[in-house]
Amino acid sequence: MQNAAQAKAGDGLSLAGFRGALMRGPLASNICQQLTKFKHINGVALSVSNMAEVSVKSPSAFHAPRTDWFKPDGREQNIKDYIALANQLIWKRQGSFFAAAVLAAIYFDALTIFAFYAVVVATELLDVLLGHQSKKWDGEDRVVGRRIFLRIAINTILSALAISAFILSIAHQETSPGHFTSLFFLFSASVFASMYNSQMLGILVLRLSIYGCAFLYIAFLDVVRYLPPLSSPIWLQFWTIIFVLYFIADMSLKFYLSYQKQQKHMSLIEEENEHTKAALEVKSRFLAIVSHELRTPLTSIVGSLEILKSEKFGVLPDPLKPVLNIAARNSERLTTLVEDLLDLQKLEAGEMRLHFKTINANDLVQEAVEAIAGYASKVGIEVTSSLCKEDCNISGDRQRLIQVMNNLLSNALKFSDDGGTVLVRVEELGGKVRISVQDEGIGIPVGAQDAVFGKFSQVDASDIRKVGGTGLGLNISKQIIERHGALIDYTSKLGVGSVFFIEFDRVTGGDVEFNAATQAA
């Protein structure tokens, strides 16, 4: 998994001229165009982030002009939020109204109380009907939005008047000064409106204005009834009600500004998310162009180096052989990097197609072990296998699963010492088929799983590695395995070694063959 950039200094020298030659050709033009676009989009995204900072620092930006309080245009989302919340709270409101009606009916005239309560329920049914009819609205049609807003305003007036009338009927039946019950009910209704009607300031002001008139009516009721002197407690109650009105107004404003601030932040997040998606798309195209443009010249270079190494055109001077070996090794690393980048781009774009067939896990492992045998012999490590004694069949794309096995085996060899052993085991575990690769290497620290399966990430960047890597192999393997509906994980102990394993559902039926287009991560 070691990145090619961490190879020995001598290994990088032979391709320096090749890199410069490539960047002077058509590839350079394509790369520059993509980089310019990528920087432009990222610049826009950054400007959005800066705008978000400015918005947070400027609370005055959330204050709407008073002339816009009752305009529905541009408030489609607010209307949808209002209706959705009203539908959620319908039974909560009804429970509160019913409890208040029952309590009042015990101490006051029950017939009058339930008559006014019936009117309140009728206005609530209008809200229920509006909520049901508004479900089909997509939030885009402004004409429909204006009609819904008008009905919300009418329902608000009727509801606020019905609730105020219900509470005033209680106030008129309270014979002693104070009106605690009626004022408490009215205060509760006002607080409820402040908390849950903050989506639209005009509707909130409309409802609270009617409640405010009811407050003032109750405040003046005892003043008119008893004509008390200014030293009377009745006037103290009057001024207390005025203070409560101020408190309700201030609290309502706070809830409204909080909702507006939240909406502003959500809008900025959505806008920045769109720019981020655009930047990721450009990045994906950029990687695809770079990878495809590099593949053709790399193929020619690798082929030419192999021909030179075969000495078909004559015996090579001894001083030249190490240089050619270095160039060939670095060319192979670049080829691996290009192939990994192409696979990563296909996975992220959802363009990699998997051709599922029933596969014998034993055959899969034997093929992978045979393919890695030459490399294992070269680095002095023995690869052995322990196969499943039963028919351990799985469903998967054979080519991609061989790719995964090659990644797991090459990593095991990289991190094993000379003379070590790598064991590949196939076993059946409770309806699952597990394929594991066990090495006797240096092990992986605890908590390094994100680095192990991350993109371009390295668990160990020291020079103890014998072979470099792109840092993409295990990430690609994980995505491929997950698209098989399987599991990939590992266990490890420092100084002892690691065991990477993949688990599949065991296939017990006949051959199954189908194509599946993977989805982007």
Side-chain angles (χ1 to χ4, degrees):
M1 295 192 301
Q2 186 176 5
N3 198 304
Q6 295 173 318
K8 295 181 181 179
D11 289 0
L13 295 176
S14 61
L15 291 179
F18 160 65
R19 180 180 58 188
L22 277 180
M23 295 309 293
R24 289 193 295 271
L27 172 60
S29 175
N30 285 329
I31 292 176
C32 290
Q33 291 176 5
Q34 294 298 323
L35 277 176
T36 301
K37 191 171 182 180
F38 184 71
K39 288 180 179 178
H40 172 70
I41 292 181
N42 276 327
V44 175
L46 287 174
S47 66
V48 172
S49 299
N50 293 337
M51 185 167 61
E53 284 187 20
V54 173
S55 299
V56 172
K57 295 177 182 178
S58 306
S60 60
F62 299 113
H63 293 268
R66 292 183 178 86
T67 55
D68 294 339
W69 286 359
F70 294 94
K71 290 184 179 180
D73 295 341
R75 290 182 169 84
E76 287 76 13
Q77 185 59 47
N78 301 56
I79 295 174
K80 289 178 70 68
D81 290 345
Y82 178 91
I83 294 174
L85 189 60
N87 291 335
Q88 293 175 9
L89 299 174
I90 179 66
W91 294 111
K92 187 175 182 178
R93 292 198 308 271
Q94 286 304 311
S96 301
F97 295 148
F98 181 74
V102 171
L103 180 63
I106 295 175
Y107 296 97
F108 305 107
D109 181 53
L111 182 61
T112 303
I113 295 298
F114 280 110
F116 279 104
Y117 171 69
V119 177
V120 172
V121 172
T123 60
E124 285 293 309
L125 292 177
L126 293 177
D127 281 340
V128 173
L129 181 62
L130 176 60
H132 178 72
Q133 294 175 345
S134 301
K135 287 182 179 180
K136 297 180 181 180
W137 182 48
D138 58 3
E140 300 294 334
D141 192 333
R142 292 195 171 187
V143 175
V144 176
R146 293 190 190 100
R147 293 174 183 170
I148 294 175
F149 183 84
L150 179 60
R151 289 189 59 183
I152 290 175
I154 294 173
N155 288 3
T156 298
I157 294 173
L158 295 177
S159 173
L161 288 174
I163 293 172
S164 297
F166 169 71
I167 294 173
L168 291 179
S169 69
I170 297 175
H172 273 283
Q173 296 182 61
E174 292 177 307
T175 56
S176 60
H179 303 288
F180 175 82
T181 302
S182 56
L183 287 173
F184 177 77
F185 287 167
L186 191 56
F187 177 77
S188 300
S190 301
V191 171
F192 193 92
S194 300
M195 293 173 62
Y196 300 114
N197 293 168
S198 56
Q199 297 86 355
M200 293 179 288
L201 185 59
I203 299 300
L204 179 62
V205 170
L206 195 61
R207 181 176 289 275
L208 291 183
S209 296
I210 296 174
Y211 288 164
C213 292
F215 267 112
L216 292 176
Y217 182 91
I218 295 174
F220 279 108
L221 188 61
D222 281 348
V223 172
V224 173
R225 182 182 292 173
Y226 299 107
L227 297 176
L230 289 177
S231 59
S232 171
I234 294 177
W235 281 104
L236 176 61
Q237 172 189 301
F238 176 87
W239 297 117
T240 301
I241 293 174
I242 300 300
F243 174 77
V244 169
L245 285 175
Y246 167 78
F247 171 78
I248 292 174
D250 182 68
M251 179 180 59
S252 302
L253 182 61
K254 292 293 191 300
F255 278 112
Y256 172 74
L257 293 179
S258 176
Y259 174 79
Q260 291 299 105
K261 186 176 181 179
Q262 179 184 0
Q263 287 294 100
K264 191 71 173 180
H265 285 174
M266 288 299 299
S267 176
L268 291 173
I269 290 172
E270 291 175 359
E271 186 176 354
E272 189 163 354
N273 183 51
E274 291 300 319
H275 286 292
T276 301
K277 288 181 180 179
L280 289 174
E281 183 180 351
V282 172
K283 181 212 73 172
S284 181
R285 290 202 302 266
F286 169 74
L287 287 177
I289 289 174
V290 170
S291 301
H292 283 290
E293 293 285 352
L294 281 176
R295 173 184 279 180
T296 301
L298 271 177
T299 302
S300 300
I301 291 171
V302 171
S304 300
L305 290 172
E306 290 300 323
I307 292 174
L308 288 175
K309 289 174 62 180
S310 67
E311 299 185 337
K312 289 184 178 181
F313 297 105
V315 180
L316 296 173
D318 290 338
L320 185 59
K321 291 181 180 179
V323 177
L324 285 177
N325 289 333
I326 292 174
R329 186 161 57 249
N330 280 338
S331 298
E332 291 175 358
R333 291 181 182 177
L334 282 176
T335 301
T336 302
L337 174 60
V338 169
E339 295 298 330
D340 284 349
L341 287 174
L342 286 173
D343 285 340
L344 182 64
Q345 188 270 335
K346 288 179 182 178
L347 286 166
E348 290 183 342
E351 297 174 353
M352 179 179 286
R353 297 192 66 85
L354 300 179
H355 305 279
F356 285 79
K357 293 182 179 180
T358 299
I359 303 170
N360 186 289
N362 289 337
D363 294 342
L364 181 73
V365 167
Q366 285 180 323
E367 181 180 345
V369 170
E370 290 173 1
I372 204 75
Y375 175 61
S377 176
K378 182 179 178 180
V379 296
I381 298 173
E382 181 183 6
V383 179
T384 61
S385 58
S386 174
L387 303 180
C388 183
K389 296 180 180 179
E390 304 176 10
D391 291 332
C392 290
N393 294 328
I394 61 175
S395 178
D397 185 309
R398 190 181 192 88
Q399 179 183 353
R400 292 300 175 183
L401 292 181
I402 286 293
Q403 179 183 352
V404 172
M405 290 301 302
N406 286 340
N407 280 330
L408 296 181
L409 285 168
S410 63
N411 282 333
L413 296 176
K414 290 176 189 179
F415 289 94
S416 296
D417 297 326
D418 293 340
T421 301
V422 172
L423 173 62
V424 186
R425 181 183 287 109
V426 183
E427 52 190 334
E428 192 271 335
L429 298 173
K432 300 283 186 179
V433 175
R434 171 178 287 195
I435 303 174
S436 58
V437 178
Q438 179 179 347
D439 63 58
E440 299 173 350
I442 60 176
I444 301 172
V446 177
Q449 189 169 23
D450 290 341
V452 169
F453 292 110
K455 299 176 185 176
F456 301 104
S457 58
Q458 308 292 333
V459 176
D460 176 22
S462 67
D463 292 332
I464 63 174
R465 295 183 184 175
K466 295 187 286 291
V467 183
T470 64
L472 288 173
L474 285 179
N475 179 268
I476 293 172
S477 298
K478 181 178 176 65
Q479 294 193 59
I480 291 174
I481 292 300
E482 288 177 347
R483 281 156 177 75
H484 279 74
L487 169 70
I488 182 170
D489 206 347
Y490 70 91
T491 59
S492 184
K493 187 175 181 180
L494 285 176
V496 177
S498 304
V499 179
F500 279 82
F501 61 88
I502 49 180
E503 282 187 1
F504 301 85
D505 290 329
R506 185 180 179 186
V507 176
T508 56
D511 289 352
V512 179
E513 182 174 352
F514 60 93
N515 294 337
T518 65
Q519 298 179 351

